[in-house]
Amino acid sequence: AQSVSCGRFFRGPEALDREDKAAHWVSQLAAEIGQRLQADEAENHRQAKTLTLSVSFGTSRGGWGDGGSYSRSIALTSTK
């Protein structure tokens, strides 16, 4: 199986500690993964079947990964 991925780390002053900051980066990540999927389809003649979102949370003290994490997957359907 092949993967197309897109990820970011937001630590320290870049932490997504407000809803507007999180909404902005969700939009940016969605646009980037959309571009990568379109390029992959054009280059490799395949379409993604599943989207997996993984999120890890730090603690209020700035630790990484101590605050928990979760992952969810959904099936993608073609619009073509």
Side-chain angles (χ1 to χ4, degrees):
Q2 300 294 318
S3 295
V4 175
S5 65
C6 181
R8 296 288 183 278
F9 291 97
F10 301 96
R11 297 180 178 146
E14 294 180 343
L16 301 182
D17 53 359
R18 295 189 331 255
E19 186 176 342
D20 62 322
K21 288 168 77 175
H24 169 77
W25 281 105
V26 166
S27 177
Q28 295 295 311
L29 289 169
E32 187 171 337
I33 198 70
Q35 291 170 350
R36 290 181 186 205
L37 290 173
Q38 288 176 345
D40 186 66
E41 182 178 357
E43 293 171 18
N44 299 305
H45 311 289
R46 61 183 178 207
Q47 290 185 339
K49 296 178 182 164
T50 306
L51 173 69
T52 301
L53 172 68
S54 299
V55 178
S56 297
F57 301 95
T59 65
S60 60
R61 295 184 308 272
W64 183 247
D66 297 330
S69 63
Y70 74 91
S71 180
R72 298 289 185 268
S73 295
I74 60 167
L76 296 177
T77 57
S78 176
T79 58
K80 294 181 181 183

